[in-house]
Each structure stands twice: as C-alpha cells, then as structure tokens.
Amino acid sequence: MKVHFIVHEAFEAPGAYETWVRERGYAATYSRVHAHEPLPPSIADIDLLVVMGGPQSPSTTREECPHFDAAAEQALIAACAAAGKAVVGVCLGAQLIGAALGARQAHSPEKEIGKFPVMLTAEGRANDKFAHFGDVLETGHWHSDMPGLTDSATVIACSEGCPRQIIEYGRLVYGFQCHMEFTPEVVELLIAASEAELAMLEPHRFVQPPAVLRSHDWHAMNGQLFGFLDRLMQAYASP
C-alpha cells in the first residue's frame, strides 16, 4: 500500500499514522506544504491519502497563508474520493474533505484541547470499521472548528463539546476531528507551538493545561486507530 501524507505544519505531525505505515511495511510519501513541498501531480501512486491538521481553515487564502492552497488540496481530495482511493482527514484535513465534497466547515460549540471521551452514534456502532471502539473511547483533541456535513455524510462519533468527531463521507472516506494520532512527541510539538494560547484558554472547560496534556498515555487510542486503518485498507483492497 502507498500512503501519501499532506502535512500543513511541522507541529501537526502524522504521529501514530507513521507508526502504522512503518509497522505494516507500507510506503509513505509526503507533501510537507509548510516546507513548500508540492502536492502530488497524479493520484496514480496513492492508495491512502492522509490529510493532517493545521491552524488554517478551508477558507484560508493564499494571501493569509502562502504555503496553503486550500483549493488545490480540495481538488486532490475530490479526485481521490472519485477514483475510489481511501482518504482520511484529521482536524483541518477532515474539514477539507467536507469542503471538497460540497459541505461548509463550522465552528465547534466548544474548543477542545486535551484527552476527552467520544461517544459512538448508533450508526457508528453498526459500522464494522469501528466495531472495536466500543461505545465510548478516549481520544485526543486540539480544535475549535468541525467538519461540514454533506447530504450523504454519517456522524460516527460525537463528544460532549463537539457533535462531529468522526464523519463517514463514503465507504473509504473519513474525517476525524479528534486526534487519534497523538503521541507524547506530537503533543510536545503542539505545546511548544501554542504555549501562549494555552495559558489564555485555561478557563475553558474542555482545555487542559500542559502538565495534564503531558500526563496522558496515548497507546490504547493509537491501537484503536490502527484497527480502523487496517479495516479501511481491507475494504479498499476488496471493492
């Protein structure tokens, strides 16, 4: 399997997604757009497209962020989805999937930074790609927006602070507002990039301080992510 990552910022690293790629013996390629690496000119060599997070939004312009081309990324996402490729978006990536398929991203009712439970919906519990999640699981969060919903989208999971945590846009296309890829190293990068913001956000009920963020164990969550990705790629290999 060939996995292509779009990485918007160095501190929004793929984390456990890279561990999964390495452990499965898959091939990884990258568009580190923050380092001005180009998007792939063709989707021929992509089996799974993983679009990572970032502080941008689908409406961010090139003038506001010269290294981020929202229209080009949405065109790539739409092409992959139309061609039957597997596509996973994380945070901003999930919002870009929604936008690429015709939905507008929205603000989350609550800002969430930390580790909090998400609850599977009835549709999520009935979806075999998420059967191993159980009814409730603890996941990472670092957001204030959420992905838009197309007419055919299904909400797989929600949280107390956000009604759209995992979205199924198609049999092989999923958006994760939550961050199941977090590792201690990724969290350190995010803390370093956000220390001033975190201090200002302490009064928010779903925002945890750096000491708490550093105390979390992410291994069980990473394993649940791997199980989803394995099932996704099984579905991709068996159209």
Side-chain angles (χ1 to χ4, degrees), residues 61-79:
T61 66
R62 297 297 297 276
E63 290 73 26
E64 293 169 322
C65 183
H67 70 254
F68 175 62
D69 189 337
E73 290 195 25
Q74 289 174 45
L76 179 65
I77 290 167

Side-chain angles (χ1 to χ4, degrees), residues 1-225:
M1 293 292 181
K2 299 174 182 178
V3 182
H4 188 80
F5 290 99
I6 299 178
V7 183
H8 299 107
E9 304 292 346
F11 53 83
E12 292 271 5
Y17 283 99
E18 287 182 311
T19 304
W20 172 78
V21 168
R22 185 172 60 251
E23 290 183 355
R24 300 302 183 267
Y26 297 156
T29 55
Y30 295 83
S31 295
R32 301 177 184 89
V33 298
H34 61 90
H36 305 287
E37 294 179 354
L39 297 176
S42 166
I43 65 171
D45 288 332
I46 299 174
D47 294 307
L48 168 62
L49 177 68
V50 180
V51 188
M52 298 306 303
Q56 302 87 354
S57 79
S59 61
T60 299
T61 66
R62 297 297 297 276
E63 290 73 26
E64 293 169 322
C65 183
H67 70 254
F68 175 62
D69 189 337
E73 290 195 25
Q74 289 174 45
L76 179 65
I77 290 167
C80 285
K85 308 288 187 176
V87 183
V88 172
V90 180
C91 200
L92 169 61
Q95 296 156 26
L96 286 165
I97 290 175
L101 300 179
R104 296 187 64 179
Q105 139 256 353
H107 291 299
S108 172
E110 297 277 358
K111 185 181 289 287
E112 294 176 302
I113 297 176
K115 189 178 187 182
F116 302 104
V118 302
M119 291 71 72
L120 265 66
T121 62
E123 293 80 5
R125 293 191 296 273
N127 188 313
D128 60 1
K129 295 187 187 73
F130 301 93
H132 62 296
F133 276 23
D135 293 345
V136 180
L137 69 156
E138 297 279 336
T139 69
H141 303 271
W142 204 295
H143 74 103
S144 56
D145 292 327
M146 62 183 181
L149 298 179
T150 62
D151 290 342
S152 59
T154 300
V155 177
I156 298 295
C158 59
S159 68
E160 185 179 353
C162 179
R164 305 174 191 169
Q165 286 289 355
I166 304 175
I167 309 296
E168 181 182 68
Y169 289 101
R171 190 177 74 93
L172 300 174
V173 182
Y174 291 88
F176 284 73
Q177 186 56 58
C178 52
H179 289 267
M180 298 186 70
E181 81 284 1
F182 276 178
T183 65
E185 294 77 16
V186 171
V187 170
E188 281 299 330
L189 291 172
L190 284 162
I191 291 172
S194 311
E195 282 194 282
E197 179 191 17
L198 286 171
M200 293 173 57
L201 293 175
E202 280 191 11
H204 289 251
R205 62 180 181 141
F206 295 114
V207 175
Q208 296 173 337
V212 175
L213 293 169
R214 291 184 173 109
S215 71
H216 294 308
D217 187 327
W218 308 103
H219 285 93
M221 175 190 73
N222 295 160
Q224 289 166 315
L225 173 64

